[in-house]
Amino acid sequence: GLGDDTPVVGMFARAHPQKDHDTLFAATARAAARLPELRLLVAGSGASLDRAAFRTLAERHGVAGRLLALGERSDTPRLLAAVDVATLT
């Protein structure tokens, strides 16, 4: 559902403090100040807005509205092809 010119950053990692989604969300919020159309795609076990702690973290950084949180997936190659930048924090 994203346009071809929509910039998308992706991270593929389980939702766990060791994976540091907190820093990713903070960086996304800063980048979005200059690039308002930026979207963030995350996938991995627990990386879902249905999970209260994950949703709260995204809301605290103000990125919930630009976040595509897909949870655990088995189609990582397809998702990697959809992002412009893949990152780990």
Side-chain angles (χ1 to χ4, degrees):
L2 299 173
D4 288 341
D5 9 337
T6 302
V8 181
V9 172
M11 182 167 148
F12 306 97
R14 64 190 164 100
H16 185 277
Q18 186 179 43
K19 301 302 181 180
D20 199 11
H21 285 83
D22 189 53
T23 297
L24 174 68
F25 292 168
T28 299
R30 290 184 66 183
R34 292 186 181 199
L35 196 60
E37 65 274 15
L38 179 67
R39 296 295 175 262
L40 177 61
L41 185 150
V42 297
S45 177
S48 169
L49 294 176
D50 292 337
R51 191 169 158 252
F54 197 80
R55 182 180 59 253
T56 299
L57 183 64
E59 289 171 348
R60 188 174 83 228
H61 287 287
V63 299
R66 68 182 64 256
L67 177 61
L68 303 165
L70 305 179
E72 190 167 350
R73 300 286 294 247
S74 61
D75 58 345
T76 304
R78 182 176 150 235
L79 297 175
L80 276 169
V83 302
D84 297 296
V85 174
T87 187
L88 289 173
T89 54

